[in-house]
């Protein structure tokens, strides 16, 4: 293998600082893209989709688990997919392996769920074997076809206004490579991270960074979602992004 040049510490530090400029440019470009996602139009979900879950039949609205936002990853686990019945597809399984602790997403009024066409007993068996904890439902109708995930994996974002559900964004193919962390999931949602430094539309829910962050075992699932402080353009000075 032909290696890069071997240099002194001083030259290495100089090369690192040069590259860090591009790293920061990428971070800021990613923030700008997330801001555009928050301004995407919404489309109403008119069809009544149904799923099988561990507690029986469920509507798409039920997948929210009472929260404002819902992220749904379509994982391929069903007859005919490589690995069946012992495993979900290898790529989808890697996505599942990368999912962080869901308490942090839930603290931002957001639920993550996986859906597949495998029956619930098979899903529960594989979840237990692989150590996966996310809610995982069985598709029973045209949900996968209608939302672009009948032939390939993908991640859809939804938001609800009382009982009305809207689709807000969609990521698939290599875009799914980044999924798994709390931050990347929130960045694809209509409300974003809900932090004061973000460029969001007026009156979007926002609180200060760091202040809502917590250990995953100290978020109280029994408490209602906080009433986020809505900041208008003239109402408060936005804070800088953490380590921006």
């Amino acid at each position: 293998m032909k290696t890069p040049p071997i240099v002194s510490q001083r030259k290495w530090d100089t090369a690192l600082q040069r590259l860090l400029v591009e790293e920061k440019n990428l971070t800021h470009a990613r923030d700008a893209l997330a801001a555009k996602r928050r301004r995407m139009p919404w489309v109403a979900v008119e069809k009544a989709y149904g799923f099988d879950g561990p507690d029986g039949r469920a509507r798409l609205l039920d997948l929210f688990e009472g929260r404002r936002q819902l992220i749904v990853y379509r994982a391929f686990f069903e007859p005919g997919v490589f690995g069946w019945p012992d495993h979900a597809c290898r790529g989808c399984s890697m996505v599942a392996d990368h999912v962080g602790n869901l308490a942090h997403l839930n603290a931002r009024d957001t639920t993550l769920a996986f859906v597949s066409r495998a029956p619930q007993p098979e899903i529960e068996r594989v979840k237990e074997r692989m150590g996966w904890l996310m809610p995982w439902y069985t598709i029973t109708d045209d949900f996968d076809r209608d939302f672009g995930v009948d032939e390939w994996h993908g991640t859809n974002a939804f938001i609800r206004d009382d009982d009305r559900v809207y689709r807000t964004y969609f990521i698939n193919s290599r875009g799914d490579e980044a999924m798994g962390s709390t931050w990347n999931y929130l960045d694809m949602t209509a409300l974003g991270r809900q932090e004061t430094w973000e460029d969001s539309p007026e009156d979007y829910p926002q609180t200060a960074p760091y202040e809502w962050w917590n250990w995953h075992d100290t978020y109280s699932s029994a408490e209602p979602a906080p009433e986020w402080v809505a900041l208008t353009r003239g109402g408060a000075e936005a804070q800088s992004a953490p380590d921006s």
Side-chain angles (χ1 to χ4, degrees), residues 27 30-31 34 37-38 69 71 98-102 104-108 110 171 178-198 207-214 219 241-243:
T27 297
R30 188 168 59 243
D31 290 341
R37 289 179 183 140
R38 292 191 288 278
Q69 298 191 123
I71 300 169
H98 282 82
V99 172
N101 194 291
L102 298 179
H104 305 295
L105 272 179
N106 297 164
R108 293 279 89 173
T110 303
I171 289 177
M179 295 296 102
S181 81
T182 298
W183 306 122
N184 286 335
Y185 279 130
L186 289 176
D187 282 347
M188 75 168 291
T189 65
L191 300 181
R193 303 184 186 192
Q194 303 164 49
E195 295 186 339
T196 50
W197 63 269
E198 288 182 301
T207 54
Y210 300 111
E211 289 185 3
W212 71 271
W213 302 6
N214 215 335
Y219 291 118
D243 300 322

